Amino acid sequence: MAASTSMLTSSSFTFPSQGLRLPTRTHPCMKPQKRFVRKDASNVITATYDLKPPPYPLNALEPHMSRETLEYHWGKHHRTYVENLNKQIVGTDLEGLSLEDIIIVAYNKGDILPAFNNAAQAWNHDFFWESMKPGGGGKPSGDLLDLIERDFGSFERFTEEFRSAAATQFGSGWAWLAYKANRLGVENAVNPWPSENDKKLVIVKSPNAVNPLVWDYFPLLTIDVWEHAYYLDFQNQRADYISMFMEKLVSWEAVNARLEKAKAEAAEREMEEERRKNEEEWKPTDDDDDDDEGLEMYVDSEDDSEAE
Amino acid sequence: MAFRSLATRKTLSLGLNSTRLTQSRALQTFSLPDLPYDYGALEPAISGEIMQLHHQKHHQTYITNYNKALEQLHEAIQKGDSSTVVKLQTAIKFNGGGHINHSIFWNNLAPIHEGGGEPPKGSLGWAIDTNFGSLESLIQKISAEGAALQGSGWVWLGLDKELKKLVIETTANQDPLVTKGPHLVPLLGIDVWEHAYYLQYKNVRPDYLKNIWKVINWKYASGVYEKESA
């Protein structure tokens, strides 16, 4: 399958820092770096993915999402996914791949391989922290709002659908707003009537670690509905957690930036496909030319009917 | 002859009635079973706060939604609305499964002073030794399976009635054990949804799985085992 080269490095989304800089914070412009480090005396070189901190201090989302929740959710759950991923891929083919590539490879078209869970959850949580900001909520504007109104009817209807998806994801999982570019699920299939309207916003929900990257969508916004995301603050009241998230935490700036990036990448991908298709059409076929040249060596060149 | 015609009339009228009865048979709905112990009785293995939330909120919600789905199903069946009948299956599986599983779970637990944690004797104890070598080995395997389960679900000790042996199984979300095999009977289930332990153990599910054995009610599991393997 055509590798989507660094399709969504959402974790590289630059975000104005808010409040105190944490000592372990990496520069916002850098993707999670693969670092090759020598581990103690055993001379084992390991590739490592970093645990990126959220783009705000752990108490910055209070009183809506408590510092305690961030300390456990980021400091324990997210950290464990990253650490276990690093341990898991040592010495395997996955070592050295980008996180997004590991996710696609390990998803294995649904026949999930062991590294998928940790890789996808590492990515999902990065994406989740960046989907929120202190003083978030409210309404989007501009192109994003236009698209939302086009594809959902109104911002209110969008909110309703998103909340419903989040509330009805049974068990652990995530709800997403994603940008679905004009792609068919079958290789070599061509949409006979491609149009701008085929590129649209969709709301999807996914179980456990699954995310829309595996469906070739561009994720724009997510809410974590694993119980650990809300249990300390809301106990069983998932609906209240979802409301709080929508009203107080969603970073529409982040969503907007991701949408712009998605649109650009979708367009780039289309151009790339066009170009490749054109190349194939104009590629000299190996049927006659060589033979003719070979033949011409042996026949009189008086015959110039061949217009090359 | 009189008797026969009486019988015929009775059968006839019964026949008519039974058609009506089928259509308007009262729907059985469910209610939250009481816990056989106080919320705080399983401490320190499981906190009273968790037990109360787990019982009064989570289990109750499954029951409420199960009843709602059953009512909708009942209506759809009466109307012959197949679309709705099929559409409701997910809700019934989630919520009905939640009710089934939690009802078993409350019986799987007992305060220490009422036998919680006491190793199984009798035929179940013997079967465990035969199937797994020892109780410790069984406990270690169940705990490992429970810890490794991704997302939400349950870990079970079950009896395979057909093969006549004990099995360890996991199910996702609220799937009852029977979804893993029609001949499987649950003896012991441990809820590994985060709501079952988070307030007390946070992300450290293995600690929850280590401590819960102190309050496991082997007497109940033994009783089910004896009954089902008779």
Side-chain angles (χ1 to χ4, degrees), chain B residues 120 124-141 157 166 168:
Chain B
L124 178 58
W126 184 86
I128 287 174
D129 287 345
T130 309
N131 281 239
F132 299 99
S134 67
L135 180 62
E136 289 66 42
S137 168
L138 172 73
I139 285 177
Q140 193 264 328
K141 281 198 173 70
L157 173 65
L166 296 178
I168 297 175

Side-chain angles (χ1 to χ4, degrees), chain A residues 135-290:
Chain A
K139 254 174 105 148
S141 55
D143 272 357
L144 176 55
L145 182 59
D146 289 342
L147 261 185
I148 285 178
E149 287 175 344
R150 185 196 76 175
D151 292 334
F152 297 103
S154 66
F155 179 68
E156 287 66 35
R157 287 253 11 243
F158 153 76
T159 310
E160 216 176 273
E161 252 193 68
F162 189 79
R163 283 182 198 228
S164 170
T168 58
Q169 173 49 43
F170 195 76
S172 313
W174 305 75
W176 307 83
L177 173 66
Y179 182 65
K180 182 180 176 189
N182 176 26
R183 283 278 257 227
L184 297 176
V186 181
E187 283 189 21
N188 299 327
V190 174
N191 184 336
W193 298 101
S195 99
E196 268 306 302
N197 290 336
D198 290 338
K199 299 202 194 74
K200 55 185 180 179
L201 298 178
V202 292
I203 290 174
V204 289
K205 55 191 181 189
S206 60
N208 295 349
V210 179
N211 65 40
L213 292 177
V214 308
W215 303 316
D216 208 24
Y217 297 175
F218 296 93
L220 302 178
L221 171 68
T222 194
I223 179 173
D224 188 348
V225 291
W226 282 61
E227 284 176 325
H228 64 239
Y230 58 90
Y231 214 81
L232 294 180
D233 296 335
F234 291 92
Q235 290 79 63
N236 64 309
Q237 311 276 36
R238 193 197 280 190
D240 287 350
Y241 159 68
I242 297 167
S243 293
M244 176 281 296
F245 175 85
M246 296 304 291
E247 287 163 22
K248 308 287 184 192
L249 294 181
V250 175
S251 168
W252 289 113
E253 284 88 350
V255 180
N256 212 30
R258 289 160 174 171
L259 176 64
E260 292 311 309
K261 198 147 182 256
K263 287 198 284 193
E265 289 187 18
E268 197 182 299
R269 205 162 59 173
E270 268 178 7
M271 285 194 315
E272 175 70 34
E273 277 168 11
E274 266 304 306
R275 196 172 53 77
R276 210 176 314 135
K277 202 166 58 161
N278 291 338
E279 266 177 21
E280 297 232 354
E281 281 174 7
W282 286 104
K283 193 159 72 179
T285 51
D286 59 342
D287 53 1
D288 298 322
D289 292 358
D290 292 326

Side-chain angles (χ1 to χ4, degrees), chain A residues 68 72-73 76-77 80-81 114 117 168 170-172 208 226-229 231-232 235-238, chain B residues 49-50 53-54 57-58 61-62 93-95 150-152 173-174 193-196 198-199 202-203 205:
Chain A
E68 200 192 7
Y72 281 103
H73 199 175
K76 305 278 184 188
H77 291 272
T80 304
Y81 289 126
N117 200 65
T168 58
F170 195 76
S172 313
N208 295 349
W226 282 61
E227 284 176 325
H228 64 239
Y231 214 81
L232 294 180
Q235 290 79 63
N236 64 309
Q237 311 276 36
R238 193 197 280 190
Chain B
E49 191 188 12
I50 287 182
L53 277 167
H54 205 172
K57 303 287 182 187
H58 290 274
T61 301
Y62 288 126
K93 188 177 180 195
F94 288 166
N95 296 295
Q150 311 281 18
S152 309
N173 297 335
Q174 291 299 350
W193 280 63
E194 285 170 330
H195 66 239
Y198 205 79
L199 293 180
K202 309 294 192 307
N203 61 307
R205 194 195 280 175

Side-chain angles (χ1 to χ4, degrees), chain B residues 61-216:
Chain B
T61 301
Y62 288 126
I63 288 173
T64 305
N65 292 338
Y66 181 40
N67 287 338
K68 198 160 68 178
L70 284 176
E71 275 159 18
Q72 292 170 339
L73 179 67
H74 188 65
E75 204 182 298
I77 290 176
Q78 286 180 325
K79 287 199 269 188
D81 179 359
S82 298
S83 262
T84 304
V85 168
V86 172
K87 191 177 68 163
L88 286 167
Q89 297 310 307
T90 322
I92 288 181
K93 188 177 180 195
F94 288 166
N95 296 295
H99 173 49
I100 291 169
N101 295 339
H102 286 87
S103 302
I104 296 171
F105 189 49
W106 309 136
N107 289 322
N108 284 152
L109 303 170
I112 294 174
H113 62 81
E114 283 173 30
E118 254 175 49
K121 305 173 186 61
S123 56
L124 178 58
W126 184 86
I128 287 174
D129 287 345
T130 309
N131 281 239
F132 299 99
S134 67
L135 180 62
E136 289 66 42
S137 168
L138 172 73
I139 285 177
Q140 193 264 328
K141 281 198 173 70
I142 292 181
S143 303
E145 292 272 346
L149 191 149
Q150 311 281 18
S152 309
W154 292 73
V155 60
W156 303 94
L157 173 65
L159 166 66
D160 187 324
K161 282 184 79 159
E162 196 177 75
L163 300 179
K164 295 196 177 20
K165 62 181 188 129
L166 296 178
V167 296
I168 297 175
E169 270 293 351
T170 55
T171 56
N173 297 335
Q174 291 299 350
D175 295 356
L177 180 59
V178 74
T179 59
K180 277 291 175 91
H183 308 286
L184 295 180
V185 174
L187 304 176
L188 166 61
I190 298 180
D191 190 348
V192 292
W193 280 63
E194 285 170 330
H195 66 239
Y197 59 88
Y198 205 79
L199 293 180
Q200 187 177 354
Y201 293 95
K202 309 294 192 307
N203 61 307
V204 196
R205 194 195 280 175
D207 280 358
Y208 160 69
L209 289 168
K210 201 162 60 163
N211 287 332
I212 198 172
W213 297 103
K214 301 178 186 150
V215 289
I216 289 293

Side-chain angles (χ1 to χ4, degrees), chain A residues 31-49:
Chain A
K31 294 195 277 209
Q33 287 294 325
K34 301 193 316 290
R35 270 192 346 249
F36 288 86
V37 298
R38 217 155 256 285
K39 268 202 178 278
D40 52 76
S42 57
N43 278 344
V44 173
I45 301 175
T46 52
T48 59
Y49 299 89

